[in-house]
């Protein structure tokens, strides 16, 4: 399995970069994982819809037809860690792509391409913090599937 | 309003300490907030139940009868940021205490004392990461209630 995370906008907070780096390192034991950060697009009140669409196009252009796509969206499906582990276990023969939209959320076109729309929380978090949560959760799931003890 | 967060065990990860410090600073504009970290209790397979109970006793001993208690537990009530904001808005005349259990979760006694059992995610996260999520969400809610733009 290889995992690609496509995220709109740069991660700027140092503490998030540190946290992500830690889990990225720990995940190498289990899988190849790559974070693709798309360039920031300047948003104003007037161009929000257009920016969401542009971001969606950029995300889609980095997805191959054969890849399984999981879009993160707060209105998506909520899962427990064990449910998510079972889902990933079934998909491990595919190359997986996780998509995280920018400040204004994940675009409709990305959601339509997605095989699963996944919600991390009913709460809104910054799209940057969601990256850390995704890395932690992926590590938790792989560790769980391998019979490790981290998930406890 | 004053907010107290009682959490079992020390936060050890640097990136989490940094993130928490950032939101703690930003929250000072809105409220007094205090994090009380209880000493770690060594857990073995054999004493888990006992540790959960001891932690619960320690948490309860730091709660005043007049305080409103919100216990965090992954099986609790899921809310959107706006629902959580409405809830807190109604409770702002009270002193609030958020309780986060240790590695093994939040004890039954704490949940029984709680006015609300709140779930941040169906996913399991480390009890240390939940602290960062709570700080971020509190900042988001206060900013939202004051008409700020962070929540967008």
């Amino acid at each position: 399995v290889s995992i690609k995370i496509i995220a709109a906008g740069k991660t700027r907070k140092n503490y998030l970069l540190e946290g992500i780096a830690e889990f990225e390192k720990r995940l190498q034991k289990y899988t190849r994982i790559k974070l693709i950060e798309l360039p920031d697009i300047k948003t104003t009140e007037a161009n929000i819809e257009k920016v969401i669409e542009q971001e969606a196009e950029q995300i889609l252009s980095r997805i191959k037809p054969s890849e399984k796509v999981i879009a993160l969206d707060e209105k998506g499906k909520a899962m427990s860690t064990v449910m998510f582990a079972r889902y990933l276990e079934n998909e491990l023969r595919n190359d997986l792509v996780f998509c995280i939209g920018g400040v204004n959320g994940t675009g409709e076109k990305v959601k339509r391409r997605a095989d699963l729309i996944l919600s991390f929380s009913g709460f809104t978090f910054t799209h940057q913090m969601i990256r850390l949560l995704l890395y932690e959760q992926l590590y938790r799931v792989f560790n769980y599937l391998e019979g490790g003890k981290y998930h406890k």
Side-chain angles (χ1 to χ4, degrees), chain A:
Chain A
V1 63
S2 92
I3 292 178
K4 195 159 75 181
I5 299 170
I6 307 178
K10 293 270 170 228
T11 307
R12 293 218 165 68
K13 295 283 177 193
N14 252 324
Y15 70 90
L16 294 176
L17 291 169
E18 266 177 58
I20 288 169
E22 175 174 328
F23 288 108
E24 196 169 29
K25 200 174 150 195
R26 293 166 81 170
L27 272 161
Q28 279 169 9
K29 192 172 146 187
Y30 302 120
T31 180
R32 275 176 303 134
I33 188 160
K34 191 166 69 169
L35 173 63
I36 301 174
E37 288 187 328
L38 302 175
D40 290 276
I41 305 175
K42 207 174 151 50
T43 317
T44 62
E45 287 291 326
N47 73 353
I48 290 182
E49 292 307 317
K50 212 163 173 174
V51 168
I52 295 177
E53 180 137 357
Q54 265 181 284
E55 277 175 359
E57 295 291 352
Q58 289 191 356
I59 288 172
L60 289 174
S61 73
R62 279 154 180 96
I63 299 173
K64 290 178 200 147
S66 64
E67 290 172 330
K68 276 269 174 175
V69 176
I70 299 153
L72 268 53
D73 187 89
E74 67 193 76
K75 297 208 174 71
K77 188 177 164 69
M79 284 189 178
S80 70
T81 298
V82 173
M83 280 167 72
F84 186 43
R86 292 285 159 254
Y87 176 85
L88 287 187
E89 198 175 26
N90 282 328
E91 299 296 344
L92 287 183
R93 67 207 132 68
N94 298 303
D95 288 330
L96 302 177
V97 184
F98 289 87
C99 303
I100 307 174
V103 247
N104 305 300
T106 301
E108 279 309 316
K109 279 188 187 170
V110 174
K111 288 189 223 168
R112 277 201 296 276
R113 168 67 177 85
D115 298 284
L116 170 69
I117 304 176
L118 178 65
S119 171
F120 262 65
S121 178
F123 287 138
T124 306
F125 288 102
T126 68
H127 61 298
Q128 302 205 358
M129 199 172 279
I130 289 292
R131 296 175 199 181
L132 173 62
L133 300 188
L134 175 58
Y135 269 92
E136 198 268 355
Q137 204 57 216
L138 286 173
Y139 178 72
R140 184 178 292 274
V141 160
F142 278 104
N143 183 276
Y144 169 77
L145 291 175
E146 300 272 326
K149 290 205 156 190
Y150 175 78
H151 67 284
K152 283 204 179 168

